[in-house]
Amino acid sequence: YYDCASGKMKAGPKGHTACGAARRTGGPQKGEETLHTQKGPGQAGAQPAPQAGHSAGRAAAAPRYDRAKLWPLFLATLYISTFTFGGGFVIVTLMKKKFVDELHWITEEEMLDMTALAESAPGAIAVNAAILVGWQVEGLLGMITAVVGTILPPMVILSIISYFYNVFAANVYVALVLKGMQAGVAAVILDVVCSMGGKVIASHSAVSLFLMVAAFAANYIFGVNVVLIILAAALFGVVRAALARKRTV
């Protein structure tokens, strides 16, 4: 007979085969050991284990934004917008203190870029800055959250003031309060100017120092529009970066 386990012919009763005996007793047949070894004990028909790259792909596909920041972002923009008087530059100043100095959600360089973009883009500076900060912190949901938190206080306050406009306009105490706020606003803006200007001076970059002084002179002495100054500085930066890249190629 033919012994399928050894693959050789052996002496034995007629019609007897080791292959048939193995099938009747449930023993392993030739080639089955390899199959069971691949599947593992007790896992016949099991699917192959997923590759490590699949887990890494799922981890890489996970969103980088943290939804837990949405509520603090809304409260921060709501608080800043509620107690900000004096224009868009003041709210940008307070955003810098909150999101850069306290929460460390964005860097000071990013805040400087956002300030330039908010000033250059059409629309209110405060809303533009809220759009940029919200997008940087939490993406689309962060942008919507920051904008809602920014525009909600002015809408409520201006609605009340417009209803009682005559009372507020003729009230001497309201006028004194507004004058006091103007002095406080000037102090806040000066504080941020010294902080950001100090960073530029500490960089020891002759080009940056020249741009800062030239921009100040153009606006304060010659009365050039701020938007034009920012656009000119941006164009200068693009040309400078292009020349630097060309030298390195």
Side-chain angles (χ1 to χ4, degrees):
Y1 69 92
Y2 178 76
D3 184 5
C4 61
S6 62
K8 298 179 180 180
M9 297 298 294
K10 293 186 178 182
K14 186 178 181 179
H16 176 80
T17 62
C19 296
R23 291 190 181 96
R24 288 193 296 271
T25 58
Q29 301 178 34
K30 187 176 182 180
E32 288 184 346
E33 291 184 1
T34 305
L35 180 61
H36 287 289
T37 303
Q38 292 174 350
K39 293 178 179 178
Q43 297 181 1
Q47 297 294 329
Q51 299 179 1
H54 291 177
S55 301
R58 286 193 296 267
R64 70 182 185 91
Y65 298 115
D66 183 8
R67 299 291 177 84
K69 292 181 179 179
L70 289 176
W71 182 243
L73 177 64
F74 174 77
L75 291 180
T77 52
L78 184 73
Y79 173 82
I80 291 173
S81 182
T82 302
F83 297 99
T84 297
F85 299 90
F89 288 109
V90 180
I91 198 169
V92 170
T93 298
L94 297 179
M95 281 183 175
K96 184 261 180 186
K97 286 184 173 294
K98 186 68 176 180
F99 299 120
V100 177
D101 300 335
E102 296 181 17
L103 298 176
H104 305 289
W105 286 352
I106 56 179
T107 64
E108 186 163 350
E109 290 75 14
E110 291 173 337
M111 193 69 226
L112 286 171
D113 295 338
M114 292 176 190
T115 303
L117 290 173
E119 173 63 28
S120 303
I125 301 176
V127 178
N128 294 344
I131 291 173
L132 296 171
V133 171
W135 181 270
Q136 183 68 20
V137 173
E138 283 295 318
L140 179 61
L141 289 178
M143 180 185 69
I144 297 173
T145 301
V147 170
V148 172
T150 302
I151 67 175
L152 193 60
M155 288 178 61
V156 175
I157 295 173
L158 290 176
S159 297
I160 296 174
I161 291 178
S162 62
Y163 187 77
F164 300 101
Y165 176 76
N166 293 329
V167 177
F168 281 107
N171 194 305
V172 63
Y173 298 103
V174 174
L176 292 175
V177 169
L178 293 176
K179 287 185 178 180
M181 288 181 178
Q182 291 175 0
V185 166
V188 171
I189 294 177
L190 180 61
D191 175 65
V192 176
V193 168
C194 294
S195 176
M196 293 185 172
K199 296 287 184 180
V200 175
I201 295 173
S203 67
H204 301 291
S205 173
V207 176
S208 299
L209 289 173
F210 170 76
L211 281 178
M212 183 175 67
V213 174
F216 174 78
N219 180 255
Y220 184 76
I221 299 176
F222 301 104
V224 180
N225 190 281
V226 177
V227 176
L228 296 177
I229 295 174
I230 293 176
L231 291 177
L235 180 61
F236 181 86
V238 170
V239 173
R240 183 186 179 192
L243 292 176
R245 185 177 181 181
K246 186 177 180 179
R247 285 195 297 266
T248 56
V249 174

